[in-house]
Amino acid sequence: MTRRVLLVEDDADLAYGVSLTLCRDGWDVTHAATGSEGLRLIAEGAPDVVILDIGLPGMDGLTVCREARRQSAVPILFLTARSEEMDRVLGLELGGDDYLTKPFSTRELCARVRALHRRASGGVVAALADGRERRVVVHGLTIYPERRKVLRQDGSEVHLTNTEFTLLLTLARRQGRVFSRQELMEAVWEEGHRFVVEHAVNVHLGHLREKVERDPSRPELILTVRGAGFKLREAER
Ligand code: CA
């Protein structure tokens, strides 16, 4: 099966070199020189892996990632310049999977792209065999932070939106701790989106409960703590 990679990079020389290397490594490479073109190709082309430069003219890589994550869980490898320390941290928070700092060796790039693809396509067995992949297990749900994926005990996937996933992960990382709506809002929506009303948290939590609770009208997993907020039920000991 052909493995497809989308490269979003405005530097034509770099894009040429990277494309050539990946082609030799067996990849079918599509190149986009702008963020908006990249976003369109993620939606239409359904690549297996995306390599995304952060410094792009117009729509930057971080914005492309945030937009892409609304509808796609495709593995994203960020390319960053050395001066963009903060950008790469932010990039991973926005749903990027890995990053490489320029200048990088093409051999390293190929290794990272292959690893991302393997992780994303390997399914449960490969993920469990790969000790490096972090995961959070709560009440029969296995949450993979890097792939932003949730599996039930029977191996079936719980299909969550990006926001629902972030809410669940936030609650699950600190099982039993009560989070206020304000805290949950801050976990999900970055600076500049503070106008989002607290009610939005209830809406997303409602959708999340529909997907993970046995009886959403009587939540057993995501509990409401009257006057304080929400928490994920502690594990029985
Ligand atoms: Ca660039």
Side-chain angles (χ1 to χ4, degrees):
M1 209 177 100
T2 317
R3 304 168 301 164
R4 285 167 307 159
V5 62
L6 170 65
L7 170 65
V8 189
E9 168 64 64
D10 60 312
D11 180 330
D13 290 340
L14 182 62
Y16 178 74
V18 167
S19 300
L20 205 62
T21 307
L22 287 167
C23 282
R24 285 194 188 125
D25 204 38
W27 290 89
D28 177 351
V29 186
T30 307
H31 172 233
T34 66
S36 50
E37 173 76 354
L39 201 52
R40 187 179 67 76
L41 288 169
I42 291 171
E44 292 174 8
D48 296 301
V49 176
V50 175
I51 302 171
L52 183 54
D53 184 29
I54 288 186
L56 293 167
M59 184 190 285
D60 70 13
L62 299 177
T63 310
V64 172
C65 179
R66 190 188 305 128
E67 290 298 317
R69 278 289 175 260
R70 290 182 202 279
Q71 51 188 319
S72 169
V74 63
I76 295 179
L77 172 71
F78 276 115
L79 301 180
T80 92
R82 278 202 188 287
S83 57
E84 296 166 325
E85 288 293 315
M86 279 313 292
D87 282 355
R88 56 189 196 182
V89 174
L90 188 60
L92 296 182
E93 279 178 3
L94 287 175
D97 299 276
D98 199 359
Y99 63 84
L100 261 184
T101 305
K102 296 177 186 174
F104 49 81
S105 77
T106 48
R107 178 197 290 243
E108 176 69 8
L109 176 82
C110 283
R112 298 286 190 94
V113 169
R114 259 186 260 126
L116 274 182
H117 182 244
R118 202 168 49 233
R119 241 161 54 189
S121 59
V124 188
V125 177
L128 294 175
D130 179 1
R132 289 181 313 152
E133 178 159 30
R134 291 173 295 156
R135 58 182 196 270
V136 184
V137 182
V138 284
H139 306 294
L141 296 175
T142 306
I143 307 168
Y144 296 93
E146 282 153 28
R147 282 186 291 152
R148 302 185 72 75
K149 191 171 180 158
V150 181
L151 298 182
R152 296 186 190 88
Q153 232 152 7
D154 64 5
S156 62
E157 185 174 355
V158 186
H159 295 280
L160 300 179
T161 64
N162 200 32
T163 302
E164 290 157 11
F165 182 88
T166 306
L167 284 171
L168 179 63
L169 183 62
T170 302
L171 291 165
R173 275 185 167 149
R174 303 283 300 280
Q175 230 174 317
R177 159 141 149 26
V178 180
F179 288 85
S180 68
R181 285 189 181 80
Q182 181 67 35
E183 285 176 311
L184 290 175
M185 276 169 61
E186 285 170 11
V188 174
W189 293 283
E190 70 277 24
E191 296 280 344
H193 285 70
R194 289 287 161 78
F195 58 83
V196 176
V197 289
E198 289 195 11
H199 178 65
V201 171
N202 298 19
V203 173
H204 289 288
L205 279 174
H207 292 153
L208 180 58
R209 278 171 165 161
E210 293 283 341
K211 294 178 185 178
V212 299
E213 297 284 359
R214 233 173 318 195
D215 176 0
S217 65
R218 290 184 188 174
E220 297 174 324
L221 189 59
I222 299 166
L223 308 178
T224 303
V225 182
R226 199 173 285 275
F230 303 89
K231 69 172 184 179
L232 197 81
R233 187 165 59 86
E234 298 92 328
E236 270 106 44
R237 291 179 196 281

